[in-house]
Amino acid sequence: MQIVGYDAGDGGLLLARDGDVEYVDLTPGTELAYQLGERHCAGVVEEDGHAACDADGAPYCDDHSQVWVCAKCTGDCLKDEMDCFEDHAVYLAAFAPDTFKVGVTREWRLETRLLEQGADRAAHVRTVDDGRAARRIEAGIAERIPDRVRVPTKIAGLDRSVDDDAWASLLSEFDPIETFDFDYGLELDGRPVTETMATGTVRGVKGRILLLDRAGSSYAVDLRRLVGYEVSEGASEREMQSSLGAFG
C-alpha cells in the first residue's frame, strides 16, 4: 500500500493498493495508524485507478512530475494558444502572524484555493476577465509582496494569530472586493513539532499541513512529504520528539 496523493482542500489522503485507490478522510478525531516504509515515485492516479512507478524520485520521478504551465505564468502566455478567458481573482493571503502573499486563481474557486493554501485571512482585490491580465497584475504586486510562502513558515505560525495592525496596513493600499477570515479549529497551546509520520489522532488540516496528536504532543506533518511512502497498517512505534507541552 502506498500514499499516492492528498486533498489539501477537504483534508484527505489517497492510498493505493494493487491499482485501487482509497480515500482516507482526515476529519478531526480520525485515528491514523500507518507505519512508513520505503519512499519512491507515487506514479499517477487516473480515472480507472492507480498506475504504480518504482522509480527513485519522490514524491514523483521526472516522468510523473507535472507542473501546471499556468502556475509559472507572469503575464506572457506559455501555451501554444492562450485559453484562460474567464474571470480571474487577484488576492492577498495572510498567514499568522505577519506573512503575506499575492496570488491569482479562477474567480469561481477563490475560497477553495485559499483553503488549499491554509490562509488565515484573505482579500479579493481585483477581478479581471482573463488569466494573462491577472498574472500581470500579480507580477506587479509581487515586486513588493511575495507570491509564495513556504510550508515551514506556515508551521511556525500555527499557534499564532494574524497581526491585525499589519494586515490592516496592507489592505489600506487596496480596495478589497471581499475579505475572508478562516478558522481551522486547531486550538493549539504551543507550536507543534514538525515531523513526517502517519500515526496519531487527527487534530485538523490546514492547507497541506496535517496536525496529529500523539502521546501528549502535537505534530505538524507536511502532506506532500508523505506522498510516495509505502505504508503498512499498524501504529508506528518509532520514538518521536516531544513538544514542551508534553511535560507540563
Side-chain angles (χ1 to χ4, degrees), residues 179-228:
T179 58
F180 302 84
D181 192 346
F182 299 107
D183 182 2
Y184 299 86
L186 302 180
E187 299 180 357
L188 290 164
D189 294 327
R191 184 184 301 180
V193 179
T194 300
E195 264 291 355
T196 300
M197 65 180 191
T199 292
T201 304
V202 176
R203 175 181 285 262
V205 176
K206 189 170 188 278
R208 76 183 216 198
I209 302 169
L210 167 65
L211 275 296
L212 291 175
D213 291 334
R214 179 178 173 186
S217 294
S218 295
Y219 298 91
V221 182
D222 182 347
L223 287 170
R224 182 174 171 81
R225 292 188 175 275
L226 289 179
V227 176

Side-chain angles (χ1 to χ4, degrees), residues 116-140:
E116 288 173 348
Q117 295 183 59
D120 293 301
R121 297 186 190 175
H124 177 185
V125 295
R126 289 284 300 274
T127 300
V128 291
D129 58 10
D130 69 68
R132 178 167 60 183
R135 287 297 187 185
R136 287 175 175 171
I137 294 170
E138 178 194 36

Side-chain angles (χ1 to χ4, degrees), residues 10-193:
D10 295 327
L13 281 176
L14 297 179
L15 270 65
R17 189 194 328 241
D18 298 328
D20 294 327
V21 179
E22 172 190 358
Y23 184 86
V24 178
D25 197 2
L26 296 177
T27 54
T30 299
E31 295 289 342
L32 295 184
Y34 297 105
Q35 299 181 43
L36 303 184
E38 296 183 356
R39 192 184 188 206
H40 57 85
C41 177
V44 61
V45 176
E46 301 173 318
E47 290 186 2
D48 58 350
H50 174 248
C53 176
D54 293 329
D56 290 336
Y60 303 101
C61 68
D62 291 342
D63 289 339
H64 292 109
S65 295
Q66 299 179 354
V67 178
W68 185 39
V69 66
C70 293
K72 299 188 293 183
C73 175
T74 58
D76 295 318
C77 188
L78 302 174
K79 295 181 177 180
D80 293 334
E81 183 176 352
M82 180 177 161
D83 61 2
C84 54
F85 296 104
E86 61 179 311
D87 285 350
H88 281 64
V90 181
Y91 64 85
L92 301 173
F95 303 86
D98 55 6
T99 298
F100 311 120
K101 76 174 287 285
V102 62
V104 164
T105 189
R106 288 169 289 177
E107 186 181 29
W108 63 267
R109 73 180 313 273
L110 173 58
E111 187 168 347
T112 297
R113 181 60 182 146
L114 294 170
L115 290 170
E116 288 173 348
Q117 295 183 59
D120 293 301
R121 297 186 190 175
H124 177 185
V125 295
R126 289 284 300 274
T127 300
V128 291
D129 58 10
D130 69 68
R132 178 167 60 183
R135 287 297 187 185
R136 287 175 175 171
I137 294 170
E138 178 194 36
I141 298 174
E143 292 179 359
R144 55 195 178 87
I145 302 172
D147 59 2
R148 63 190 60 198
V149 178
R150 297 176 63 248
V151 170
T153 300
K154 296 178 182 180
I155 291 176
L158 284 174
D159 62 331
R160 307 281 299 279
S161 298
V162 174
D163 185 318
D164 290 331
D165 292 338
W167 180 236
S169 177
L170 177 63
L171 292 191
S172 69
E173 305 174 32
F174 300 86
D175 184 16
I177 298 167
E178 183 180 11
T179 58
F180 302 84
D181 192 346
F182 299 107
D183 182 2
Y184 299 86
L186 302 180
E187 299 180 357
L188 290 164
D189 294 327
R191 184 184 301 180
V193 179

